[in-house]
Amino acid sequence: MTVTASRWLRPVFGVLAGAGAIAAVALVPQIEVPTIAPEPASVAVSPPSAGQTLVCAGDLLASARDSEAAGSISVAAPQAVTTAGENALDRSELVSDAMGTSPLVLRSAPGSEPFAAAGSATVADPDLAGYSAASCRLPLLDSWLVAGAGTTGAADLIVLSNPGEVAATVTLTVYGAGGAEVPPGGGDIVVRPGAQRIIPLAGLALGEESPVVHVQATGSPVAASLQSNITRVLEPGGVDQSGALSELATSQTIVGVAVTEGALGTGTGLSGTMVRVLSPDADTEATISVRAVGAAAPAIDPVTVQLRAGIPAAVEMPSLPVGSYTVDVVASAPLAAAVWQTTGFGAGSDFAWYQASPQIESSAVIAVPSGPGPVLTIANLGAADVTVELAEPGSDPVPVTVPAGASVQVPLRAAASYELTSGGPVRASVGYVGAGALGAFPVFPSTVGQEPIVVYP
């Protein structure tokens, strides 16, 4: 019996001893041990500028002027290009689908100063008339064309330019009344290196009143633009060259929209001001606000429009008094927006597509091509006044104060160049208004070099 009891008690005492040890550990107060995570050595390197490449929209083009070649495209009027900034530019030309045109490509050397370029053209033919001004643009892999129409009387052209050294394959997705679609002829468009392809919009969006085209390129970035013109009862009603929007945002600001006397549409029942808006991916509510230049208060009550995902909306604005305006389009989802404005609806009228202006944080170089009465419109969306300085080469800078929430206009010289330096974020555009002439393009911020790169040894 003694031996048996000893055999059973030994493991019991072992269990009790283990339990006591656990209890003793539990009674020891917990101590927080600091985590040691040394910051890895790093250095921020600002690489020198690789140089800029800008592609100009090119000459004004006319379709089907040759009765023996209905699909032919030819030059209607040459584009005159003005440059600003860097003087040592490499100039080359693209090989185009259109007969007799060689669109200009401008390049700066690595490490050079930023530059800008823009062109203008005037035409007065029986089938095509009006004025156009357009900035030369960076080629992009992804962009949006918010302009044009595929309806009767429109002969609009999508222009795809590839200044690169390898071929680009482009897909054109058309957003219309039925939503998004890559139509026949809109996919796998090959743009050879150093070449330009021209695609009639009616071949992609026939009958569409308010199309928006998403341009996606692989292999090489392309510069996309859209030439639009309209004929009303055999009477030309204007021409325009519109650049592409580089990115969607929940807020788009269109600066310097010029409303003229003929745009009021007296007795026509037509609106001279139209806002085109697209939310590609989500249903949302967009609010459109209009402010006159020089005023912070809205010129009219804000307009609210319900947007269906992937379907563009054309919003007629109430009649605005003669003057210049800034238009803000705001929504909870990313959107694209532009404003169509005309000088009238009869003979001798012209129109322009006003594109959204990007934010300028500190500086911009501005090229002002020839044209009637050029003006610079500067908008300040912030809560504090901003002072900008505007200078021509070799001249003293002129200070301009832009009040909070308002915009101002400064007259410019045609065929000239300027440098804008800003003490805060602003947005700007260059606009032209004259007899039978209307044109505008946004001002883009200077890009001196690439963003700093963080290097870990």
Side-chain angles (χ1 to χ4, degrees), residues 399-454:
V400 178
T401 298
V402 189
S407 52
V408 299
Q409 285 189 326
V410 182
L412 302 175
R413 290 195 310 111
S417 64
Y418 296 83
E419 183 173 351
L420 182 149
T421 305
S422 179
V426 295
R427 300 171 190 263
S429 72
V430 175
Y432 300 80
V433 179
L438 190 66
F441 57 86
V443 174
F444 293 86
S446 296
T447 53
V448 178
Q450 301 179 25
E451 292 295 322
I453 299 173
V454 179

Short mmCIF file of all heavy atoms in Angstrom, two decimals, residues 399-454:
data_model
loop_
_atom_site.label_atom_id
_atom_site.label_comp_id
_atom_site.label_asym_id
_atom_site.label_seq_id
_atom_site.Cartn_x
_atom_site.Cartn_y
_atom_site.Cartn_z
N PRO A 399 2.50 93.00 -61.24
CA PRO A 399 1.72 92.27 -60.22
C PRO A 399 0.22 92.38 -60.47
O PRO A 399 -0.28 93.44 -60.87
CB PRO A 399 2.12 92.97 -58.92
CG PRO A 399 2.52 94.34 -59.33
CD PRO A 399 3.09 94.24 -60.71
N VAL A 400 -0.48 91.28 -60.23
CA VAL A 400 -1.93 91.24 -60.39
C VAL A 400 -2.50 90.52 -59.17
O VAL A 400 -2.08 89.39 -58.86
CB VAL A 400 -2.34 90.50 -61.67
CG1 VAL A 400 -3.87 90.44 -61.79
CG2 VAL A 400 -1.74 91.15 -62.90
N THR A 401 -3.45 91.15 -58.49
CA THR A 401 -4.09 90.53 -57.33
C THR A 401 -5.40 89.87 -57.76
O THR A 401 -6.25 90.51 -58.39
CB THR A 401 -4.37 91.57 -56.23
OG1 THR A 401 -3.14 92.12 -55.79
CG2 THR A 401 -5.07 90.92 -55.04
N VAL A 402 -5.53 88.60 -57.43
CA VAL A 402 -6.74 87.85 -57.74
C VAL A 402 -7.50 87.62 -56.43
O VAL A 402 -7.04 86.87 -55.56
CB VAL A 402 -6.41 86.50 -58.40
CG1 VAL A 402 -7.69 85.84 -58.92
CG2 VAL A 402 -5.41 86.68 -59.53
N PRO A 403 -8.65 88.27 -56.25
CA PRO A 403 -9.38 88.14 -54.98
C PRO A 403 -9.82 86.70 -54.72
O PRO A 403 -9.98 85.90 -55.65
CB PRO A 403 -10.59 89.07 -55.18
CG PRO A 403 -10.19 90.00 -56.27
CD PRO A 403 -9.30 89.21 -57.16
N ALA A 404 -10.02 86.39 -53.46
CA ALA A 404 -10.47 85.06 -53.07
C ALA A 404 -11.81 84.73 -53.71
O ALA A 404 -12.74 85.54 -53.70
CB ALA A 404 -10.59 84.99 -51.54
N GLY A 405 -11.92 83.55 -54.29
CA GLY A 405 -13.16 83.09 -54.87
C GLY A 405 -13.59 83.81 -56.12
O GLY A 405 -14.74 83.69 -56.56
N ALA A 406 -12.67 84.55 -56.75
CA ALA A 406 -13.04 85.36 -57.91
C ALA A 406 -11.99 85.17 -59.02
O ALA A 406 -11.07 84.36 -58.90
CB ALA A 406 -13.16 86.83 -57.53
N SER A 407 -12.15 85.91 -60.09
CA SER A 407 -11.23 85.83 -61.21
C SER A 407 -11.02 87.22 -61.79
O SER A 407 -11.84 88.13 -61.60
CB SER A 407 -11.75 84.88 -62.29
OG SER A 407 -13.08 85.21 -62.65
N VAL A 408 -9.91 87.40 -62.50
CA VAL A 408 -9.58 88.68 -63.14
C VAL A 408 -9.11 88.40 -64.56
O VAL A 408 -8.76 87.27 -64.91
CB VAL A 408 -8.48 89.44 -62.36
CG1 VAL A 408 -8.93 89.76 -60.94
CG2 VAL A 408 -7.17 88.63 -62.34
N GLN A 409 -9.10 89.46 -65.38
CA GLN A 409 -8.60 89.34 -66.75
C GLN A 409 -7.51 90.36 -66.99
O GLN A 409 -7.57 91.50 -66.50
CB GLN A 409 -9.73 89.53 -67.77
CG GLN A 409 -10.64 88.32 -67.88
CD GLN A 409 -11.61 88.42 -69.05
OE1 GLN A 409 -12.08 89.50 -69.39
NE2 GLN A 409 -11.93 87.28 -69.65
N VAL A 410 -6.50 89.94 -67.78
CA VAL A 410 -5.37 90.79 -68.13
C VAL A 410 -5.20 90.75 -69.64
O VAL A 410 -5.06 89.65 -70.21
CB VAL A 410 -4.07 90.31 -67.45
CG1 VAL A 410 -2.91 91.23 -67.79
CG2 VAL A 410 -4.26 90.21 -65.93
N PRO A 411 -5.21 91.90 -70.33
CA PRO A 411 -4.98 91.90 -71.78
C PRO A 411 -3.57 91.41 -72.11
O PRO A 411 -2.61 91.69 -71.39
CB PRO A 411 -5.16 93.37 -72.17
CG PRO A 411 -5.91 94.00 -71.04
CD PRO A 411 -5.50 93.25 -69.81
N LEU A 412 -3.45 90.68 -73.20
CA LEU A 412 -2.17 90.16 -73.66
C LEU A 412 -1.86 90.67 -75.06
O LEU A 412 -2.75 91.14 -75.78
CB LEU A 412 -2.19 88.63 -73.67
CG LEU A 412 -2.49 87.91 -72.36
CD1 LEU A 412 -2.60 86.40 -72.61
CD2 LEU A 412 -1.43 88.20 -71.31
N ARG A 413 -0.61 90.55 -75.46
CA ARG A 413 -0.21 90.84 -76.83
C ARG A 413 -0.23 89.55 -77.63
O ARG A 413 0.22 88.50 -77.17
CB ARG A 413 1.18 91.46 -76.89
CG ARG A 413 1.27 92.87 -76.36
CD ARG A 413 2.57 93.55 -76.78
NE ARG A 413 3.74 92.73 -76.51
CZ ARG A 413 4.49 92.16 -77.45
NH1 ARG A 413 4.15 92.28 -78.74
NH2 ARG A 413 5.55 91.43 -77.13
N ALA A 414 -0.75 89.62 -78.84
CA ALA A 414 -0.76 88.45 -79.71
C ALA A 414 0.64 88.14 -80.19
O ALA A 414 1.50 89.03 -80.30
CB ALA A 414 -1.69 88.68 -80.89
N ALA A 415 0.90 86.87 -80.49
CA ALA A 415 2.19 86.39 -80.95
C ALA A 415 3.30 86.78 -79.98
O ALA A 415 4.38 87.22 -80.38
CB ALA A 415 2.49 86.92 -82.35
N ALA A 416 3.03 86.62 -78.69
CA ALA A 416 3.98 86.99 -77.64
C ALA A 416 4.09 85.85 -76.63
O ALA A 416 3.35 84.86 -76.71
CB ALA A 416 3.56 88.28 -76.96
N SER A 417 5.00 86.02 -75.67
CA SER A 417 5.18 85.00 -74.63
C SER A 417 5.25 85.68 -73.26
O SER A 417 5.68 86.84 -73.16
CB SER A 417 6.43 84.17 -74.89
OG SER A 417 7.60 84.98 -74.81
N TYR A 418 4.86 84.93 -72.23
CA TYR A 418 4.82 85.46 -70.87
C TYR A 418 5.24 84.36 -69.90
O TYR A 418 5.13 83.17 -70.18
CB TYR A 418 3.40 85.92 -70.51
CG TYR A 418 2.89 87.08 -71.32
CD1 TYR A 418 2.31 86.88 -72.57
CD2 TYR A 418 2.98 88.39 -70.85
CE1 TYR A 418 1.83 87.93 -73.33
CE2 TYR A 418 2.50 89.46 -71.59
CZ TYR A 418 1.93 89.21 -72.83
OH TYR A 418 1.46 90.27 -73.58
N GLU A 419 5.66 84.82 -68.72
CA GLU A 419 5.88 83.90 -67.60
C GLU A 419 5.03 84.35 -66.43
O GLU A 419 5.04 85.53 -66.06
CB GLU A 419 7.35 83.87 -67.19
CG GLU A 419 7.62 82.87 -66.06
CD GLU A 419 9.08 82.69 -65.75
OE1 GLU A 419 9.92 83.21 -66.52
OE2 GLU A 419 9.39 82.02 -64.75
N LEU A 420 4.27 83.43 -65.88
CA LEU A 420 3.39 83.72 -64.75
C LEU A 420 3.99 83.09 -63.50
O LEU A 420 4.32 81.90 -63.49
CB LEU A 420 1.99 83.18 -65.01
CG LEU A 420 0.91 83.43 -63.96
CD1 LEU A 420 -0.45 83.56 -64.62
CD2 LEU A 420 0.86 82.30 -62.93
N THR A 421 4.14 83.90 -62.46
CA THR A 421 4.60 83.42 -61.16
C THR A 421 3.53 83.71 -60.13
O THR A 421 3.07 84.85 -60.03
CB THR A 421 5.92 84.10 -60.75
OG1 THR A 421 6.89 83.90 -61.78
CG2 THR A 421 6.45 83.52 -59.46
N SER A 422 3.12 82.71 -59.39
CA SER A 422 1.98 82.87 -58.49
C SER A 422 2.37 82.62 -57.05
O SER A 422 3.18 81.72 -56.75
CB SER A 422 0.85 81.91 -58.89
OG SER A 422 -0.24 82.03 -58.02
N GLY A 423 1.77 83.40 -56.15
CA GLY A 423 1.98 83.21 -54.72
C GLY A 423 1.02 82.23 -54.10
O GLY A 423 1.00 82.05 -52.87
N GLY A 424 0.22 81.56 -54.89
CA GLY A 424 -0.74 80.57 -54.40
C GLY A 424 -1.38 79.87 -55.58
O GLY A 424 -1.18 80.24 -56.73
N PRO A 425 -2.17 78.82 -55.32
CA PRO A 425 -2.77 78.07 -56.43
C PRO A 425 -3.81 78.88 -57.19
O PRO A 425 -4.69 79.51 -56.58
CB PRO A 425 -3.41 76.86 -55.72
CG PRO A 425 -3.59 77.29 -54.30
CD PRO A 425 -2.48 78.25 -54.01
N VAL A 426 -3.70 78.88 -58.51
CA VAL A 426 -4.66 79.55 -59.39
C VAL A 426 -4.89 78.67 -60.60
O VAL A 426 -4.20 77.69 -60.83
CB VAL A 426 -4.16 80.95 -59.84
CG1 VAL A 426 -4.04 81.90 -58.66
CG2 VAL A 426 -2.83 80.84 -60.58
N ARG A 427 -5.89 79.03 -61.39
CA ARG A 427 -6.15 78.38 -62.68
C ARG A 427 -6.30 79.48 -63.72
O ARG A 427 -6.76 80.59 -63.41
CB ARG A 427 -7.42 77.52 -62.61
CG ARG A 427 -7.31 76.40 -61.57
CD ARG A 427 -8.63 75.70 -61.35
NE ARG A 427 -8.56 74.80 -60.18
CZ ARG A 427 -8.33 73.51 -60.26
NH1 ARG A 427 -8.15 72.93 -61.44
NH2 ARG A 427 -8.28 72.77 -59.16
N ALA A 428 -5.93 79.17 -64.99
CA ALA A 428 -5.90 80.24 -65.98
C ALA A 428 -6.19 79.69 -67.37
O ALA A 428 -6.04 78.50 -67.65
CB ALA A 428 -4.54 80.94 -65.96
N SER A 429 -6.60 80.62 -68.26
CA SER A 429 -6.80 80.28 -69.67
C SER A 429 -6.53 81.51 -70.52
O SER A 429 -6.59 82.65 -70.03
CB SER A 429 -8.23 79.79 -69.92
OG SER A 429 -9.15 80.87 -69.83
N VAL A 430 -6.22 81.27 -71.78
CA VAL A 430 -6.05 82.34 -72.77
C VAL A 430 -7.25 82.29 -73.70
O VAL A 430 -7.60 81.22 -74.22
CB VAL A 430 -4.74 82.17 -73.56
CG1 VAL A 430 -4.64 83.22 -74.66
CG2 VAL A 430 -3.54 82.24 -72.63
N GLY A 431 -7.91 83.45 -73.91
CA GLY A 431 -9.10 83.49 -74.73
C GLY A 431 -9.06 84.58 -75.78
O GLY A 431 -8.34 85.59 -75.63
N TYR A 432 -9.83 84.39 -76.85
CA TYR A 432 -9.90 85.33 -77.96
C TYR A 432 -11.37 85.57 -78.33
O TYR A 432 -12.16 84.62 -78.41
CB TYR A 432 -9.19 84.77 -79.19
CG TYR A 432 -7.72 84.48 -79.00
CD1 TYR A 432 -7.30 83.30 -78.37
CD2 TYR A 432 -6.75 85.36 -79.45
CE1 TYR A 432 -5.96 83.02 -78.20
CE2 TYR A 432 -5.40 85.08 -79.29
CZ TYR A 432 -5.00 83.91 -78.67
OH TYR A 432 -3.67 83.64 -78.50
N VAL A 433 -11.71 86.81 -78.57
CA VAL A 433 -13.05 87.16 -79.04
C VAL A 433 -12.90 88.24 -80.11
O VAL A 433 -12.21 89.24 -79.91
CB VAL A 433 -13.94 87.70 -77.90
CG1 VAL A 433 -15.32 88.08 -78.45
CG2 VAL A 433 -14.09 86.68 -76.79
N GLY A 434 -13.53 88.02 -81.26
CA GLY A 434 -13.50 89.00 -82.34
C GLY A 434 -14.68 88.78 -83.27
O GLY A 434 -15.55 87.93 -83.01
N ALA A 435 -14.72 89.54 -84.34
CA ALA A 435 -15.79 89.39 -85.32
C ALA A 435 -15.67 88.01 -85.98
O ALA A 435 -14.69 87.72 -86.66
CB ALA A 435 -15.69 90.49 -86.37
N GLY A 436 -16.67 87.17 -85.78
CA GLY A 436 -16.65 85.83 -86.34
C GLY A 436 -15.52 84.98 -85.81
O GLY A 436 -15.07 84.05 -86.49
N ALA A 437 -15.07 85.27 -84.58
CA ALA A 437 -13.94 84.52 -84.03
C ALA A 437 -14.12 84.30 -82.54
O ALA A 437 -14.44 85.24 -81.80
CB ALA A 437 -12.63 85.25 -84.29
N LEU A 438 -13.92 83.05 -82.10
CA LEU A 438 -13.97 82.70 -80.69
C LEU A 438 -13.01 81.53 -80.48
O LEU A 438 -13.04 80.55 -81.24
CB LEU A 438 -15.38 82.30 -80.27
CG LEU A 438 -15.65 82.13 -78.77
CD1 LEU A 438 -15.53 83.47 -78.05
CD2 LEU A 438 -17.03 81.53 -78.52
N GLY A 439 -12.14 81.65 -79.48
CA GLY A 439 -11.18 80.57 -79.23
C GLY A 439 -10.63 80.67 -77.83
O GLY A 439 -10.64 81.74 -77.22
N ALA A 440 -10.11 79.55 -77.31
CA ALA A 440 -9.55 79.54 -75.96
C ALA A 440 -8.78 78.25 -75.75
O ALA A 440 -9.03 77.24 -76.42
CB ALA A 440 -10.64 79.67 -74.91
N PHE A 441 -7.86 78.28 -74.79
CA PHE A 441 -7.17 77.07 -74.35
C PHE A 441 -6.69 77.28 -72.92
O PHE A 441 -6.38 78.40 -72.51
CB PHE A 441 -6.00 76.70 -75.27
CG PHE A 441 -4.97 77.78 -75.45
CD1 PHE A 441 -3.92 77.92 -74.56
CD2 PHE A 441 -5.04 78.64 -76.53
CE1 PHE A 441 -2.96 78.90 -74.72
CE2 PHE A 441 -4.08 79.63 -76.71
CZ PHE A 441 -3.04 79.77 -75.80
N PRO A 442 -6.61 76.21 -72.12
CA PRO A 442 -6.15 76.33 -70.74
C PRO A 442 -4.65 76.55 -70.67
O PRO A 442 -3.90 76.17 -71.58
CB PRO A 442 -6.56 75.00 -70.10
CG PRO A 442 -6.71 74.06 -71.23
CD PRO A 442 -7.07 74.86 -72.44
N VAL A 443 -4.21 77.15 -69.56
CA VAL A 443 -2.79 77.33 -69.28
C VAL A 443 -2.34 76.20 -68.36
O VAL A 443 -3.01 75.90 -67.36
CB VAL A 443 -2.52 78.70 -68.64
CG1 VAL A 443 -1.06 78.83 -68.22
CG2 VAL A 443 -2.90 79.83 -69.60
N PHE A 444 -1.19 75.60 -68.67
CA PHE A 444 -0.69 74.46 -67.91
C PHE A 444 0.51 74.88 -67.07
O PHE A 444 1.30 75.73 -67.47
CB PHE A 444 -0.30 73.32 -68.86
CG PHE A 444 -1.48 72.72 -69.56
CD1 PHE A 444 -1.95 73.27 -70.74
CD2 PHE A 444 -2.14 71.63 -69.01
CE1 PHE A 444 -3.05 72.73 -71.38
CE2 PHE A 444 -3.25 71.09 -69.64
CZ PHE A 444 -3.71 71.64 -70.83
N PRO A 445 0.65 74.28 -65.89
CA PRO A 445 1.79 74.63 -65.03
C PRO A 445 3.11 74.22 -65.65
O PRO A 445 3.17 73.28 -66.45
CB PRO A 445 1.50 73.87 -63.73
CG PRO A 445 0.64 72.73 -64.16
CD PRO A 445 -0.19 73.23 -65.29
N SER A 446 4.17 74.93 -65.25
CA SER A 446 5.51 74.58 -65.73
C SER A 446 5.94 73.24 -65.13
O SER A 446 5.64 72.94 -63.97
CB SER A 446 6.51 75.65 -65.33
OG SER A 446 6.20 76.88 -65.95
N THR A 447 6.64 72.45 -65.91
CA THR A 447 7.21 71.19 -65.43
C THR A 447 8.71 71.26 -65.64
O THR A 447 9.21 71.00 -66.73
CB THR A 447 6.61 69.99 -66.18
OG1 THR A 447 6.76 70.22 -67.61
CG2 THR A 447 5.14 69.84 -65.87
N VAL A 448 9.43 71.66 -64.58
CA VAL A 448 10.87 71.85 -64.68
C VAL A 448 11.60 70.52 -64.66
O VAL A 448 12.55 70.30 -65.40
CB VAL A 448 11.38 72.75 -63.53
CG1 VAL A 448 12.88 72.91 -63.59
CG2 VAL A 448 10.69 74.11 -63.59
N GLY A 449 11.18 69.61 -63.81
CA GLY A 449 11.85 68.31 -63.70
C GLY A 449 10.92 67.29 -63.12
O GLY A 449 9.75 67.54 -62.87
N GLN A 450 11.46 66.10 -62.86
CA GLN A 450 10.66 65.03 -62.29
C GLN A 450 10.55 65.20 -60.78
O GLN A 450 11.30 65.93 -60.16
CB GLN A 450 11.30 63.69 -62.62
CG GLN A 450 11.44 63.42 -64.12
CD GLN A 450 12.10 62.08 -64.37
OE1 GLN A 450 12.05 61.19 -63.54
NE2 GLN A 450 12.74 61.94 -65.50
N GLU A 451 9.57 64.51 -60.20
CA GLU A 451 9.42 64.51 -58.76
C GLU A 451 10.66 63.85 -58.10
O GLU A 451 11.26 62.95 -58.68
CB GLU A 451 8.16 63.74 -58.36
CG GLU A 451 6.87 64.43 -58.78
CD GLU A 451 6.66 65.73 -58.07
OE1 GLU A 451 6.99 65.81 -56.86
OE2 GLU A 451 6.20 66.69 -58.69
N PRO A 452 11.05 64.30 -56.90
CA PRO A 452 12.20 63.69 -56.23
C PRO A 452 11.99 62.18 -56.02
O PRO A 452 10.88 61.72 -55.74
CB PRO A 452 12.25 64.41 -54.88
CG PRO A 452 11.58 65.72 -55.13
CD PRO A 452 10.49 65.42 -56.13
N ILE A 453 13.08 61.42 -56.16
CA ILE A 453 13.06 59.97 -55.97
C ILE A 453 13.81 59.65 -54.67
O ILE A 453 14.93 60.12 -54.46
CB ILE A 453 13.72 59.25 -57.15
CG1 ILE A 453 12.95 59.56 -58.46
CG2 ILE A 453 13.77 57.74 -56.92
CD1 ILE A 453 13.64 59.02 -59.69
N VAL A 454 13.18 58.87 -53.79
CA VAL A 454 13.83 58.48 -52.54
C VAL A 454 14.65 57.22 -52.78
O VAL A 454 14.13 56.18 -53.21
CB VAL A 454 12.79 58.23 -51.42
CG1 VAL A 454 13.49 57.79 -50.13
CG2 VAL A 454 11.99 59.51 -51.18
#
